[in-house]
Amino acid sequence: MIELKNVSKHYKQTEALKNVSLSLKPGQIVGILGPNGSGKTTLIKILNGLLRDYSGEVLIENQGIGVHSKSLISYLPDQTYLANWMTGEKAIDLFKDMYSDFDESRMRDLLSKLKLDSKQSIKTMSKGMKERFQLALVMSRKAKIYILDEPIGGVDPAARELILNTILDNYATDSLVIISTHIISEIEQIFDTVVFLKEGEVVLCDDVDQIRSTHNKSIDELFKEIFKC
Amino acid sequence: MDQFQSTQPIYLQIMEMIKKEIVSEKLLPQQQLPTVRDLALQYQVNPNTVQRALSELERLSLVKSDRTIGRFVSDDLDLIQSLRQQMIMEKVETFVDDIEQLKVTQEESINYINQAFRERKTK
């Protein structure tokens, strides 16, 4: 579904991605793991068409990045982007207008599960509420590919569990979910494949249970070993 | 969330959990199992991991699947009985290994086992 061949990206002096090759299939929940600055967000921005000047090849459903790939992907950025003047309802209207695959009944269901009130204005929502609200919007699209950049970064453990449940509840065998994170211990069991990014390079890409039995370690333990300073 | 040991593949651990439920009769013979999705939510794991655990249990004939209706616990009582014996023996072997390292005799350890059971009952 997603094919990357020798993808590299430079920012002036620094190499953000070096020869990244990956092949991701529908039905997978993939974890892109790496410390801050390892290239996770750069990779995700390339997949979403937000960075264009890279080298190498990126194919999504056998096509280059463009209108088609963008219509397939539901993307949660690592920062909140909802305008403060909006209410939740206004943001829902916006998503309805923008995305034909937006499922409003799923959104209503998620709002109650995530204990959110759509009549509230974005401005008065806490950071955690904004993050949950955005996640609900993104997960309410019936997309082929979901790309979530640090979805559990700033939320408390209870909300984390809710978010993981939302992702699992929404799982479909024909869609691909990509999640970037540097917090691994509480989320590793929902992945089937993980990609370790270190200084822009893929240092490991394998089936999670395969890694556990080969290394006799959890993904979190292996991560700490590979990335210790 | 920390119900899983870190070093063992999760699908094996889920297999063990389901086996325990069968042996302890939380899941009865011929009872329908929850769907993959529900089990994934219950254990908070990847649905493919659940799928793999169930396929392995099917391979061991402990679970049967019907394409249209779903998955069921086996109705083979002999098989469930032998699973029960096997799981008991595994636990007992581990216990005996540990207790032998402490140079405890068979009789002494049986006394301690009896005492432990008595104490649990009074609690």
Side-chain angles (χ1 to χ4, degrees):
Chain A
M1 192 171 232
I2 294 185
E3 294 283 339
L4 283 91
K5 284 176 199 151
N6 300 317
V7 174
S8 297
K9 163 75 188 163
H10 299 256
Y11 294 109
K12 290 186 179 156
Q13 307 292 331
T14 52
E15 264 189 312
L17 289 179
K18 296 174 208 166
N19 279 318
V20 170
S21 295
L22 286 174
S23 173
L24 307 175
K25 296 178 187 65
Q28 286 185 316
I29 302 180
V30 181
I32 308 277
L33 313 179
N36 293 325
S38 56
K40 302 189 297 288
T41 297
T42 300
L43 177 64
I44 283 172
K45 283 185 172 169
I46 288 174
L47 292 175
N48 283 294
L50 300 171
L51 289 172
R52 310 236 59 163
D53 50 339
Y54 56 86
S55 63
E57 193 179 16
V58 181
L59 291 176
I60 297 182
E61 278 201 335
N62 302 314
Q63 295 187 33
I65 304 290
V67 180
H68 180 67
S69 73
K70 285 184 190 175
S71 73
L72 297 175
I73 298 175
S74 189
Y75 168 48
L76 179 77
D78 61 345
Q79 284 160 342
T80 53
Y81 59 88
L82 296 171
N84 267 330
W85 58 266
M86 283 185 184
T87 59
E89 283 301 324
K90 184 75 196 164
I92 293 172
D93 283 343
L94 192 71
F95 262 67
K96 275 201 291 197
D97 289 345
M98 272 168 51
Y99 303 108
S100 59
D101 59 3
F102 186 75
D103 180 347
E104 192 178 347
S105 62
R106 184 188 269 179
M107 182 69 192
R108 301 286 167 199
D109 181 43
L110 282 177
L111 286 176
S112 72
K113 279 185 186 157
L114 297 170
K115 298 187 180 67
L116 293 165
D117 177 10
S118 57
K119 293 187 187 69
Q120 197 176 344
S121 73
I122 302 292
K123 193 166 64 183
T124 61
M125 289 185 189
S126 70
K127 187 165 176 281
M129 286 163 87
K130 276 185 212 168
E131 287 184 353
R132 276 179 284 153
F133 192 82
Q134 279 200 149
L135 181 82
L137 284 171
V138 166
M139 296 310 283
S140 294
R141 288 182 57 196
K142 286 187 166 155
K144 286 276 186 68
I145 301 171
Y146 297 88
I147 301 181
L148 314 176
D149 198 354
E150 298 279 0
I152 58 164
V155 298
D156 58 84
R160 230 171 251 179
E161 207 171 312
L162 272 174
I163 288 173
L164 296 189
N165 273 334
T166 306
I167 295 166
L168 287 172
D169 203 11
N170 188 59
Y171 174 87
T173 46
D174 58 350
S175 62
L176 166 66
V177 183
I178 299 172
I179 300 170
S180 91
T181 186
H182 63 276
I183 302 164
I184 297 163
S185 63
E186 283 160 87
I187 193 176
E188 65 170 88
Q189 67 229 37
I190 81 159
F191 298 135
D192 45 31
T193 306
V194 289
V195 177
F196 278 26
L197 271 183
K198 188 178 189 183
E199 292 160 16
E201 281 182 284
V202 174
V203 290
L204 181 77
C205 173
D206 208 346
D207 175 274
V208 168
D209 272 345
Q210 189 66 45
I211 293 173
R212 284 173 167 252
S213 43
T214 339
H215 297 269
N216 259 335
K217 285 189 178 73
S218 71
I219 307 305
D220 189 40
E221 287 163 350
L222 186 66
F223 182 86
K224 283 176 181 153
E225 188 178 291
I226 290 183
F227 293 102
K228 70 176 171 230
C229 312
Chain B
M1 291 266 209
D2 37 36
Q3 54 180 330
F4 295 104
Q5 289 166 18
S6 56
T7 55
Q8 205 189 15
I10 293 171
Y11 84 94
L12 289 176
Q13 300 186 49
I14 290 179
M15 279 177 73
E16 283 306 307
M17 291 175 185
I18 297 176
K19 280 183 185 173
K20 259 188 208 164
E21 299 216 328
I22 294 175
V23 163
S24 62
E25 295 181 327
K26 273 184 200 148
L27 285 170
L28 295 165
Q30 291 185 308
Q31 188 179 333
Q32 184 162 14
L33 290 164
T35 60
V36 169
R37 175 184 295 271
D38 288 342
L39 287 170
L41 282 168
Q42 183 188 325
Y43 296 121
Q44 288 222 316
V45 298
N46 190 293
N48 294 321
T49 309
V50 173
Q51 187 70 47
R52 193 163 167 191
L54 292 175
S55 306
E56 284 296 307
L57 290 169
E58 262 179 59
R59 211 175 48 81
L60 301 172
S61 305
L62 287 164
V63 164
K64 297 216 160 99
S65 94
D66 182 305
R67 233 168 258 264
T68 48
I69 320 173
R71 284 193 176 77
F72 298 84
V73 178
S74 164
D75 55 1
D76 184 342
L77 298 178
D78 292 340
L79 184 70
I80 293 172
Q81 186 55 32
S82 75
L83 172 70
R84 182 166 182 272
Q85 280 168 1
Q86 184 200 330
M87 288 182 81
I88 295 171
M89 278 318 288
E90 275 172 23
K91 295 285 178 203
V92 173
E93 294 284 355
T94 318
F95 169 77
V96 173
D97 280 348
D98 289 348
I99 209 88
E100 272 189 346
Q101 285 180 19
L102 300 174
K103 298 275 175 220
V104 181
T105 64
Q106 184 180 351
E107 275 183 354
E108 202 183 352
S109 60
I110 290 170
N111 284 337
Y112 275 106
I113 290 173
N114 287 334
Q115 190 188 329
F117 272 107
R118 271 197 303 275
E119 277 169 15
R120 279 186 184 233
K121 271 178 203 154
T122 56
K123 262 176 204 168

